[in-house]
Amino acid sequence: NLEERKKLVLQTTAELSARVGFPAPEVHFEDTPELRLGRRTYARCNFGLNSFILSVRGRTPSELKRTVAHELTHLRFQKLHHGVHFEQYISALLNGNLFFNGKGLVNKFPNLAPSKEEVLSNLHERRKRLQSKIKRLVTLSRKLDRKIRRLEK
């Protein structure tokens, strides 16, 4: 299973780097103590050597693909920092909306604005959670009022 994940990473790396017209970087897997990344770090770029180190343990195939796209975005667009645009590039790369056509990069970013139904659903859910909190606070306030009245007698 670990070998299958490594194979998936190498295939994804070759496919996505070809899509953006970038030579496929060298991929190192976190198998030896020298390459240990830490608890929360799953990958790290090495810009000078056009490579990255990646941990495949405990990661799903979709997480691995996203991590490869993330690291390729770092390598290909070194001036682009984490943020909304960075995430747009990763999503576009994964969805096939970012590619190299021989002359330059072509990006067709999808509209990231949520639909009206999604916004309404989100607002209804937030209102429901807020009403629940208010109900708990009112109950707590009434309990405190009763305690105060008992102590004042």
Side-chain angles (χ1 to χ4, degrees), residues 43 45 47 67 69-71 73-74 77-88 90:
C45 280
F47 296 108
T67 302
H70 180 103
E71 297 308 322
T73 303
H74 275 305
F77 310 102
Q78 293 183 15
K79 292 185 179 181
L80 187 64
H81 299 291
H82 290 152
V84 175
H85 293 292
F86 190 84
E87 292 300 320
Q88 283 179 332
I90 292 172

Side-chain angles (χ1 to χ4, degrees), residues 80-118:
L80 187 64
H81 299 291
H82 290 152
V84 175
H85 293 292
F86 190 84
E87 292 300 320
Q88 283 179 332
Y89 271 76
I90 292 172
S91 297
L93 181 58
L94 286 170
N95 298 332
N97 294 327
L98 181 68
F99 56 92
F100 186 74
N101 68 358
K103 295 178 184 173
L105 281 172
V106 177
N107 47 2
K108 301 181 220 166
F109 289 126
N111 184 8
L112 297 178
S115 68
K116 192 176 187 177
E117 292 79 21
E118 289 173 326

Side-chain angles (χ1 to χ4, degrees), residues 33-135:
E34 308 90 64
L35 299 179
R36 190 75 54 211
L37 292 168
R39 280 189 176 169
R40 294 182 54 124
T41 306
Y42 296 112
R44 183 174 294 135
C45 280
N46 186 336
F47 296 108
L49 299 175
N50 188 32
S51 67
F52 60 88
I53 302 169
L54 179 72
S55 173
V56 294
R57 293 188 192 284
R59 311 288 310 284
T60 64
S62 61
E63 288 174 329
L64 288 171
K65 285 181 181 180
R66 184 155 186 85
T67 302
V68 167
H70 180 103
E71 297 308 322
L72 281 174
T73 303
H74 275 305
L75 289 170
R76 182 66 173 92
F77 310 102
Q78 293 183 15
K79 292 185 179 181
L80 187 64
H81 299 291
H82 290 152
V84 175
H85 293 292
F86 190 84
E87 292 300 320
Q88 283 179 332
Y89 271 76
I90 292 172
S91 297
L93 181 58
L94 286 170
N95 298 332
N97 294 327
L98 181 68
F99 56 92
F100 186 74
N101 68 358
K103 295 178 184 173
L105 281 172
V106 177
N107 47 2
K108 301 181 220 166
F109 289 126
N111 184 8
L112 297 178
S115 68
K116 192 176 187 177
E117 292 79 21
E118 289 173 326
V119 171
L120 276 172
S121 174
N122 188 7
L123 289 173
H124 285 302
E125 187 63 36
R126 285 173 57 193
R127 183 176 62 187
K128 192 175 179 181
R129 284 195 308 262
L130 186 60
Q131 287 172 338
S132 176
K133 286 180 183 179
I134 290 170
K135 207 178 214 179

Side-chain angles (χ1 to χ4, degrees), residues 15-26:
E15 178 188 321
L16 295 180
S17 58
R19 192 178 293 168
V20 292
F22 191 69
E26 192 176 335

